[in-house]
Amino acid sequence: MQEKRIIVPTEEIARQRRVMAAVRAYAGPLGLRYHVLTFGCQMNDNDSEKLAGMLVEMGYAEADAPEDADLVVVNTCSVREHADGKFFGHLGILHSVREKKRPGMMIAVCGCLMRQAPVVDRIRKSHPFVDLVFGPSDLHRFPEMLRLRLTERRRVYDVGTEDTIAEGLPVLRASRTRARSTIMYGCDNFCTYCIVPHVRGRERSRPMALVLDELRALASDGYREVLLLGQNVNRYGMDTGDGDFAMLLEEVGRIPGLRRVRFMTSHPKDVSRRLLDVMRDSPNACPHLHLPLQSGSDAVLRRMNRGYDRTRFLQLVEEARDRIPDLAVTTDLIVGFPGETDRDFDDTLDVMDRIRFDNAFTFQFSPRPGTPAADMTDPVDPSVVTERFDRLVARQNEHMLAHHRRLVGTVQEVLVEGRDPGGIGRASGRTPHNRLLHFGVPVAGAGPSGILPEGTFARVLVTRVTTFTLEGEWKETLP
Ligand code: SAM
Ligand code: SF4
Ligand code: F3S
C-alpha cells in the first residue's frame, strides 16, 4: 500500500532539470539514441511522452527500433495476467539484442508492473542485466537515475511508494495535433477485479490552474484536440476542493483555438447531470462519452463493486442522449467474471442491445493476484468464457456496422491526422465521435501536393463503411 501523496516541490523539479543539463553535457557529444516501448493505457502513453521529453532534454535522439538504441525503456502495464509473461518475453528479446547486436545497450523498466514486488524480485534474481527499475510515481527522478547509471555505472532499482504529482517535466508528444493531458492520477474505486488502485496509488488531482495553463500552451502551440485523462475523471478535484470536472470542462471550453476536447474515463457511478449539461453547451467538448459498463448483470456488478446497477446505467445513457442526441457512447466489457452465469451474460447482451454502443473494448476476466476477484472461488470454465467472448464481440460488431451504415451519405467533420497508408492522395482522421475516416483528396482541393496537412479540418462525404472504419471523399477544407 502507498503511504503518502505529495506534490513534488518545484525545487526538486528544478534540480532534476539541472541533472538533465549535466547528462546532456556528458551524453550529447556521444550521439546517444533511445527507444521507448509502451504497454497499457493512454496514461502510460502520456508517461512515455514525458520520458521521451526528458531523454531529448538529456541529449538523446529517438531511434526507430530497439536494436538501434543505446537506451531502451520499457513502460509496462499490469492490468491483465499475460502482461507479466509478455514483459519477461520482451526482456529476453532485449537481452539477446544486447548480447548479439548492441553491447552496451542500457535497459530501463518502469510502469505499473514495477509496483508489484514479485516482478521486481524476479528481475533482480533472473534478469540482472536490467540497468534501471522505477515505478509510475518516480518519473521525475528518472534523470537522476540515468545519471548514476552513466557516470557511476551503478544499477538503480528504486521503486517509490509515494503517490506523487510532478509538474513541469518536459514532454515530447507523439502527435502535433492531438495531445494527451493526464489531469489526475491513481484510483480509489477498487473494483474487485482491478489492479490499478494497487499499482497507481490513491486518487489525486492536478491543480486546475496548472491543467488550464498546460492546455492553453498546447492550444497556442497549434494543438487542435486534447484528451483529458484519469481513471475516473468525474472525481477530478474531489481531493483538492479546487473545482470539479464539469467546471474544468467549462473552463476548457473558453480556451481559444482548442477545437476538440475529449476525456476518459467516466465512471458511471459519478457522472453528474451538470457534466452532461456542460458537454451539451460546451463549444469544444466532443459528442462522445466513454462509459464502461463491464457487465449488464446486477449480481455481477455488485460483486465487481461498481456502485451502479443496470437500471441506473440505462437511465444515465438516456439522460445523456436526451441532452446530446447524436452522442457516441463507447464502453468496456468483461466476460467470465467469477460466478457469471448464462443468465448474467444474457443480461450483458441485453444492455448492449438496448444501448447499441458505438464501440466497446472487450476483455476476458483475468485474475490479478492481490485483488478480491482473484480469490473468488467460482471461476467460469475457460471454454465457456471463449464462447461468450466470441458472441459478445460478434454482437458489438453488428452494432458498430449498423451505426456506420447510417452514416453513408452524411458529411462528417474530420481532423486530419495523416496520410492514409492506403494510397497517394488519401488522408485519414477522426470525426468528433472518434470514428476513423479514410478519404480521397483531389489535388485541387488540397494544395499543390494533393495532401492535407496534419491538423487540418475537412468536411468529408462518407461513401463506404466497414465494421471498423469509414471511407469517403473530401468536400472542403475548413478554416
Ligand atoms: N478506470 C477505467 C474504468 O473504470 O473504466 C478503466 C481502467 S482499466 C485500465 C481498463 C479496462 O480494463 C477496464 O474498464 C476493464 O474493462 C478492464 N480490466 C481491468 N482489470 C481487468 C481484469 N482483471 N480482467 C479483465 N479486464 C480487466
Ligand atoms: Fe480499475 Fe475500477 Fe479504478 Fe477503473 S475505476 S481503474 S476499473 S478500480
Ligand atoms: Fe495498465 Fe497501469 Fe494503465 S496497469 S492499464 S498501464 S494504469
Side-chain angles (χ1 to χ4, degrees):
M1 267 296 140
Q2 297 71 38
E3 286 98 40
K4 277 196 264 167
R5 42 178 117 181
I6 52 166
I7 296 195
V8 179
T10 46
E11 303 81 62
E12 172 59 13
I13 299 292
R15 194 178 69 79
Q16 294 290 342
R17 289 249 178 197
R18 289 195 294 278
V19 173
M20 287 189 240
V23 174
R24 186 184 186 93
Y26 171 88
L30 302 175
L32 300 180
R33 289 190 292 166
Y34 75 91
H35 187 80
V36 182
L37 288 164
T38 310
F39 299 89
C41 63
Q42 300 241 24
M43 276 181 234
N44 253 18
D45 289 332
N46 196 205
D47 283 351
S48 288
E49 291 179 329
K50 292 174 190 164
L51 288 164
M54 288 188 271
L55 281 161
V56 167
E57 195 152 314
M58 288 188 278
Y60 281 72
E62 189 176 6
D64 289 336
E67 44 274 26
D68 301 325
D70 302 285
L71 167 66
V72 178
V73 186
V74 188
N75 191 4
T76 60
C77 167
S78 56
V79 85
R80 272 170 292 281
E81 202 176 12
H82 57 79
D84 316 23
K86 254 170 71 177
F87 165 66
F88 282 105
H90 277 286
L91 269 192
I93 294 168
L94 288 176
H95 188 221
S96 89
V97 168
R98 171 149 104 184
E99 294 296 295
K100 294 188 188 133
K101 297 193 190 149
R102 273 198 95 82
M105 177 175 96
M106 277 190 208
I107 299 173
V109 297
C110 60
C112 295
L113 263 179
M114 300 309 124
R115 285 289 275 259
Q116 296 190 266
V119 172
V120 177
D121 284 348
R122 188 167 157 196
I123 295 172
R124 211 185 288 277
K125 284 195 195 107
S126 327
H127 301 73
F129 56 86
V130 173
D131 297 282
L132 304 177
V133 178
F134 55 101
S137 274
D138 312 314
L139 284 195
H140 61 284
R141 296 194 294 113
F142 172 57
E144 178 95 75
M145 295 183 194
L146 184 58
R147 185 185 64 80
L148 285 173
R149 182 67 190 105
L150 285 168
T151 57
E152 297 179 22
R153 315 231 168 256
R154 269 211 270 148
R155 294 217 150 90
V156 186
Y157 287 26
D158 189 3
V159 182
T161 56
E162 291 160 340
D163 294 337
T164 58
I165 297 184
E167 294 290 335
L169 297 177
V171 189
L172 181 69
R173 298 185 190 271
S175 153
R176 278 170 295 142
T177 303
R178 310 167 81 206
R180 305 179 185 94
S181 172
T182 303
I183 60 167
M184 59 193 298
Y185 303 92
C187 181
D188 281 356
N189 289 300
F190 289 95
C191 303
T192 53
Y193 50 81
C194 186
I195 195 75
V196 170
H198 307 266
V199 293
R200 283 273 176 172
R202 298 289 55 75
E203 194 173 85
R204 53 210 188 272
S205 309
R206 290 174 60 201
M208 192 179 294
L210 297 185
V211 173
L212 290 171
D213 283 350
E214 182 188 11
L215 301 183
R216 284 189 201 105
L218 287 168
S220 59
D221 284 349
Y223 284 89
R224 318 305 292 270
E225 180 175 314
V226 292
L227 172 61
L228 308 178
L229 292 169
Q231 294 298 354
N232 177 6
V233 292
N234 303 320
R235 300 263 316 156
Y236 174 80
M238 298 294 133
D239 54 326
T240 53
D242 194 19
D244 61 9
F245 184 61
M247 207 182 276
L248 175 66
L249 201 62
E250 209 166 26
E251 288 298 324
V252 176
R254 299 196 178 104
I255 298 179
L258 207 54
R259 295 266 289 265
R260 287 182 176 181
V261 182
R262 301 182 191 281
F263 54 88
M264 71 187 293
T265 294
S266 262
H267 195 303
K269 78 178 165 59
D270 294 314
V271 176
S272 66
R273 293 199 170 88
R274 187 164 137 61
L275 173 65
L276 300 177
D277 290 344
V278 171
M279 278 181 80
R280 176 195 57 205
D281 299 336
S282 158
N284 55 13
C286 288
H288 173 202
L289 190 59
H290 184 66
L291 203 59
L293 169 66
Q294 312 299 0
S295 167
S297 149
D298 284 347
V300 174
L301 286 171
R302 237 184 342 265
R303 289 205 303 281
M304 287 177 163
N305 188 33
R306 288 291 288 177
Y308 54 87
D309 59 16
R310 54 185 272 129
T311 309
R312 173 67 194 128
F313 192 92
L314 288 164
Q315 221 174 36
L316 183 58
V317 173
E318 200 178 304
E319 285 176 27
R321 283 180 171 158
D322 277 350
R323 286 172 177 75
I324 309 156
D326 66 339
L327 182 74
V329 182
T330 57
T331 202
D332 293 354
L333 297 164
I334 297 177
V335 284
F337 187 79
E340 183 189 68
T341 61
D342 283 339
R343 191 147 170 198
D344 292 324
F345 179 64
D346 285 344
D347 283 346
T348 299
L349 294 179
D350 179 60
V351 176
M352 289 171 78
D353 287 342
R354 287 165 192 254
I355 290 179
R356 303 175 80 78
F357 292 109
D358 292 82
N359 205 344
F361 296 101
T362 48
F363 305 99
Q364 299 187 6
F365 170 71
S366 167
R368 305 307 292 129
T371 64
D375 296 329
M376 291 182 185
T377 49
D378 41 2
V380 181
D381 185 273
S383 64
V384 174
V385 177
T386 314
E387 185 263 334
R388 286 182 191 159
F389 184 74
D390 291 346
R391 283 171 59 204
L392 187 89
V393 170
R395 188 69 60 97
Q396 180 53 36
N397 287 351
E398 267 172 42
H399 292 162
M400 267 168 79
L401 188 58
H403 279 296
H404 284 178
R405 283 202 173 123
R406 272 197 293 277
L407 296 172
V408 175
T410 64
V411 174
Q412 300 286 322
E413 183 204 85
V414 169
L415 172 55
V416 176
E417 278 172 32
R419 271 186 244 182
D420 179 350
I424 295 168
R426 292 187 67 77
S428 60
R430 292 202 176 251
T431 70
H433 300 85
N434 211 29
R435 298 186 178 108
L436 188 59
L437 208 166
H438 302 297
F439 58 102
V441 189
V443 174
S449 58
I451 292 166
L452 283 178
E454 187 183 338
T456 311
F457 283 91
R459 280 162 51 82
V460 177
L461 174 70
V462 178
T463 51
R464 261 169 44 104
V465 298
T466 66
T467 306
F468 301 106
T469 58
L470 311 176
E471 287 188 31
E473 290 302 325
W474 172 91
K475 297 292 285 179
E476 63 172 327
T477 300
L478 296 170

